[in-house]
Amino acid sequence: MNRKTTSGISLVALIVTIIVLIILTAAVIVTFMEGGIIGKAKEAVFKSDIRTYQEILAVKNAEKQIELATGNGEGGLYNETEYDKIKEIIPEFKEEYKNLIAISNGEIVLGSRTEDPYSTWLADLGIGSVKLLENVIANKVKVGDYVAYIPEGNNTTNYELKYEDSGYVDEENSEPKDQTITRQNINWRVLKIDEKTNQVTLISEEPVINIGLTGEAACKNGIRLLDDVYSTLYKSNKTVEVRNLKVEDVNEIMGVILGENVQNRYDHVYPGDNGEYREIPFGTTVGDLIDEYGYNITNMSIDEILDYEIIDYTYSGNTFKTDENSIEHSLIFSETDGMPYWLSSKSYSISLAEQNWSESHLGLFTISNDQLYGFGMLGLHNVEDAWMNCAFEGRPIVILKADVEISGNNTGNGSSADSAWRLK
């Protein structure tokens, strides 16, 4: 009798084989999904979407800046973390990306949902974490607060101001004088918080650094030199702009009422027909006077004279919309000790001691105590080679970037110089 044999696999071996195949299949699927064709396709779509959002946001930011410039909108940059708000700005924003991204200071940033592979893909696009909006300086400080601003990374501690630029002459020996201007430690206070841009403007607690300016050189170069001195000595990677205070800043912050309750002064009236005195319209230039009234100026050695505006009013308490007891008023007009300090704005003054326009001067605006007035440094009419030699301090202001943050460690509350807010 023949014995029939059968070959095959056992049930256990079959089960083991099936398990191995399942594991391998799962691994292949995962690899295929995450790092393979589907994963790569998902990554490409995500990055393409983000680039599209960046382009849309750039256009929307530009539109807001145009609105700001034309006075038809609020301007500024977008700051949003909520999905619905972002969707209003970027209608194409997908719900599946909710909390993956946010908008900070007009840029796409990493949102609160920090999970891979999205964080890695955003990093590939150069997109980092969102700034914590509550720590941005504009959301922490108030006008008048002290801020411990230090021009970090700025190694320039001296500014060499040449006689050829300033025209300044040594008071003791009447010789031309070069000036070495050295950076000083300054207590900074908040002068303005721009709600549209989130930029914070700081002002020195008091006037600082004597800068000598004289005659024609002062009229030609004064504004540029004042701004350049403070910018060179106090700028840093935290600043948008550093310069000297201007009349325009005073007008904006104090709310000057031009043409109403302004004290009559010799420097904003002119003799009309029959010897009558009339007010010069705000913004009239020296060139306008020459063209309209035939006013003869003998000292015409600089071209800039024709662009000087007649804006030399006396500002006093009743010309401000902002109260005299306000912090803004004390920041701008206090701490002068009766000595003027330079503003980076042009002034043109007319003296009508006689009706033949006997004297007139170009110069720069200054502030002394509760007064803002033009300081004449160059005689223009019937005053041969007339000039004034002046050395006053200035008033630097620092405009901080919108994303500058308050430090989370060892910071004060801004109530004094010793308790100043510290920057991150």
Side-chain angles (χ1 to χ4, degrees):
M1 180 172 165
N2 295 329
R3 181 178 294 177
K4 186 177 179 181
T5 60
T6 309
S7 63
I9 59 174
S10 68
L11 180 60
V12 173
L14 179 60
I15 293 173
V16 170
T17 302
I18 292 172
I19 292 174
V20 170
L21 289 174
I22 290 173
I23 293 173
L24 290 174
T25 301
V28 169
I29 291 173
V30 170
T31 302
F32 182 73
M33 291 291 292
E34 298 299 329
I37 297 174
I38 294 179
K40 292 296 184 183
K42 186 177 180 180
E43 177 183 355
V45 170
F46 178 78
K47 289 182 176 179
S48 176
D49 288 341
I50 298 300
R51 291 190 185 97
T52 299
Y53 300 162
Q54 289 176 318
E55 292 171 359
I56 294 172
L57 185 58
V59 173
K60 292 296 184 70
N61 282 324
E63 289 174 350
K64 283 178 73 71
Q65 297 309 308
I66 293 172
E67 290 175 357
L68 178 62
T70 57
N72 296 321
E74 296 183 353
L77 300 174
Y78 286 100
N79 287 284
E80 299 294 349
T81 56
E82 298 179 8
Y83 168 76
D84 292 339
K85 296 292 186 181
I86 297 175
K87 183 80 172 176
E88 291 177 7
I89 302 167
I90 307 173
E92 293 82 355
F93 187 45
K94 296 178 180 178
E95 188 172 4
E96 63 189 275
Y97 300 156
K98 184 177 181 179
N99 296 329
L100 282 175
I101 65 170
I103 299 175
S104 177
N105 299 312
E107 295 183 1
I108 299 290
V109 296
L110 182 63
S112 59
R113 186 176 144 202
T114 55
E115 62 183 60
D116 278 331
Y118 298 107
S119 326
T120 302
W121 295 344
L122 288 169
D124 291 342
L125 297 173
I127 295 175
S129 300
V130 63
K131 295 282 186 182
L132 296 178
L133 298 182
E134 63 268 22
N135 289 332
V136 171
I137 185 171
N139 294 331
K140 285 286 190 179
V141 302
K142 62 182 181 300
V143 172
D145 279 1
Y146 287 82
V147 175
Y149 169 72
I150 300 172
E152 297 173 356
N154 184 349
N155 298 319
T156 304
T157 57
N158 292 312
Y159 185 100
E160 301 299 330
L161 182 52
K162 300 299 182 183
Y163 162 76
E164 291 78 9
D165 291 325
S166 70
Y168 188 63
V169 175
D170 193 303
E171 295 284 359
E172 295 183 1
N173 56 29
S174 299
E175 294 293 326
K177 183 177 181 179
D178 293 336
Q179 303 167 71
T180 298
I181 299 172
T182 302
R183 184 166 73 198
Q184 300 176 7
N185 292 327
I186 292 178
N187 290 329
W188 298 94
R189 302 185 69 181
V190 176
L191 177 64
K192 174 186 173 184
I193 303 169
D194 193 323
E195 295 180 356
K196 297 177 180 178
T197 64
N198 272 354
Q199 293 174 351
V200 173
T201 299
L202 309 179
I203 187 171
S204 63
E205 184 176 28
E206 57 187 20
V208 293
I209 305 179
N210 262 319
I211 299 175
L213 300 170
T214 301
E216 181 177 330
C219 296
K220 286 185 68 173
N221 306 321
I223 293 174
R224 174 180 61 81
L225 293 175
L226 288 167
D227 290 345
D228 194 40
V229 166
Y230 293 120
S231 176
T232 300
L233 297 179
Y234 293 101
K235 66 184 177 182
S236 75
N237 57 7
K238 290 184 172 67
T239 57
V240 174
E241 184 180 14
V242 179
R243 56 174 171 79
N244 194 40
L245 190 69
K246 300 180 183 292
V247 166
E248 292 82 356
D249 300 317
V250 179
N251 288 351
E252 177 185 356
I253 293 168
M254 295 302 302
V256 174
I257 306 172
L258 297 172
E260 299 180 21
N261 300 321
V262 179
Q263 296 178 358
N264 288 328
R265 251 187 91 191
Y266 58 81
D267 52 8
H268 71 285
V269 296
Y270 62 85
D273 299 335
N274 303 320
E276 297 176 356
Y277 289 89
R278 302 177 185 175
E279 186 172 339
I280 294 175
F282 182 80
T284 301
T285 67
V286 178
D288 295 332
L289 289 179
I290 294 173
D291 292 340
E292 187 171 353
Y293 306 107
Y295 175 39
N296 179 34
I297 295 177
T298 57
N299 190 346
M300 291 290 291
S301 57
I302 58 175
D303 295 334
E304 287 86 347
I305 182 177
L306 299 179
D307 296 325
Y308 267 65
E309 291 185 357
I310 313 300
I311 53 175
D312 188 0
Y313 290 96
T314 297
Y315 296 130
S316 61
N318 64 356
T319 63
F320 295 128
K321 296 177 182 177
T322 304
D323 188 88
E324 284 190 53
N325 297 318
S326 68
I327 185 64
E328 290 89 351
H329 187 281
S330 66
L331 286 172
I332 292 175
F333 291 100
S334 65
E335 306 297 342
T336 60
D337 297 327
M339 286 297 294
Y341 69 80
W342 295 121
L343 296 180
S344 289
S345 297
K346 299 178 292 186
S347 168
Y348 173 66
S349 301
I350 304 167
S351 174
L352 295 177
E354 298 179 16
Q355 220 167 324
N356 63 355
W357 302 72
S358 61
E359 292 184 9
S360 57
H361 295 88
L362 290 181
L364 296 177
F365 270 105
T366 59
I367 281 181
S368 178
N369 292 332
D370 199 19
Q371 298 289 325
L372 186 156
Y373 58 91
F375 200 92
M377 292 180 287
L378 179 66
L380 298 176
H381 186 66
N382 294 339
V383 184
E384 185 176 356
D385 297 327
W387 52 268
M388 183 74 72
N389 199 50
C390 312
F392 299 140
E393 293 175 317
R395 204 73 191 273
I397 64 173
V398 168
I399 303 176
L400 297 174
K401 294 179 179 178
D403 62 353
V404 170
E405 293 182 89
I406 295 297
S407 173
N409 301 316
N410 302 318
T411 190
N413 59 11
S415 60
S416 67
D418 292 333
S419 298
W421 294 103
R422 299 189 183 280
L423 302 180
K424 187 173 180 180

